[in-house]
Amino acid sequence: MPEPARILHGEGFLLRPWRSDDLASLLRHANDADVSRGLRDRFPYPYTREDGEAFLGGRVLAPGTLNLAIEIDGQACGSVGAQQGVAERGHTAELGYWLGQAHWGRGLMTGVVGLFAPWVMDELGLFRLQATVVDFNLGSARVLEKNGFQEEGVERCAVYKRGVLHDLRRFARVRTALP
């Protein structure tokens, strides 16, 4: 998958490729139990220097995942990405994102998804962009709803994380024609 050729400018943030000099900022924002609790286990807690180096070295996400840093005030404070399906599901991608807790509650992630979702759908030629949200993560569900994603259903007992069984809520944003 080609690397995005440009930086996306949002209200109070930039979306840009990750750089090796983002390590210190990545560690500062990622090493947070509250950030990691709603994410896949490949995003560990504690988040160590080795974890950050592996991520920046391209050894964590699936090959072909388009992933951008969320830069706020010159620092990488989170991430947004999409993993495209293959074969008959190549028109679909799975959206994922996180933001350092210092920036929660300010509407930034709503803006990030609002900028990224239509861009990545055009960039990858997608008809469908989907995301799952752990049942307790009401803020993430609101981000998706505010950006035109519709809830399609619940995957019951889908995630066992930190000793607790959780449902996953499935959301999608679709279109039936490409621009």
Side-chain angles (χ1 to χ4, degrees):
M1 184 172 307
E3 190 65 32
R6 59 188 156 105
I7 295 173
L8 304 176
H9 297 267
E11 185 74 33
F13 65 89
L14 298 176
L15 302 181
R16 59 155 174 87
W18 284 92
R19 304 183 304 242
S20 59
D21 66 346
D22 289 327
L23 181 61
S25 183
L26 171 62
L27 296 177
R28 186 169 46 260
H29 292 284
N31 190 29
D32 183 328
D34 288 335
V35 167
S36 69
R37 75 184 194 116
L39 301 175
R40 296 176 189 257
D41 284 347
R42 68 180 174 221
F43 193 106
Y45 179 77
Y47 196 97
T48 66
R49 180 176 199 79
E50 292 74 27
D51 295 322
E53 290 170 348
F55 173 75
L56 294 174
R59 298 185 304 273
V60 174
L61 298 178
T65 301
L66 197 163
N67 189 266
L68 299 175
I70 301 168
E71 180 181 306
I72 301 169
D73 297 329
Q75 299 293 312
C77 302
S79 188
V80 62
Q83 182 179 349
Q84 191 169 11
V86 296
E88 75 281 356
R89 296 187 186 236
H91 70 283
T92 297
E94 186 77 22
L95 174 68
Y97 49 84
W98 67 271
L99 184 64
Q101 192 170 177
H103 301 287
W104 289 4
R106 297 174 24 205
L108 285 165
M109 191 53 76
T110 297
V112 166
V113 172
L115 180 62
F116 183 78
W119 175 81
V120 79
M121 289 182 82
D122 288 347
E123 185 78 7
L124 300 180
L126 302 175
F127 289 101
R128 177 182 175 88
L129 186 59
Q130 63 189 25
T132 55
V133 176
V134 180
D135 53 14
F136 59 78
N137 195 340
L138 303 180
S140 188
R142 281 193 303 273
V143 163
L144 293 169
E145 290 168 340
K146 288 178 182 178
N147 282 293
F149 286 74
Q150 293 182 355
E151 188 165 2
E152 296 182 327
V154 176
E155 299 173 30
R156 296 177 303 130
C157 303
V159 173
Y160 187 73
K161 185 139 175 125
R162 298 183 184 165
V164 180
L165 199 56
H166 294 282
D167 293 343
L168 282 179
R169 298 170 65 189
R170 166 122 358 235
F171 293 82
R173 177 173 169 157
V174 300
R175 61 186 178 185
T176 57
L178 297 177

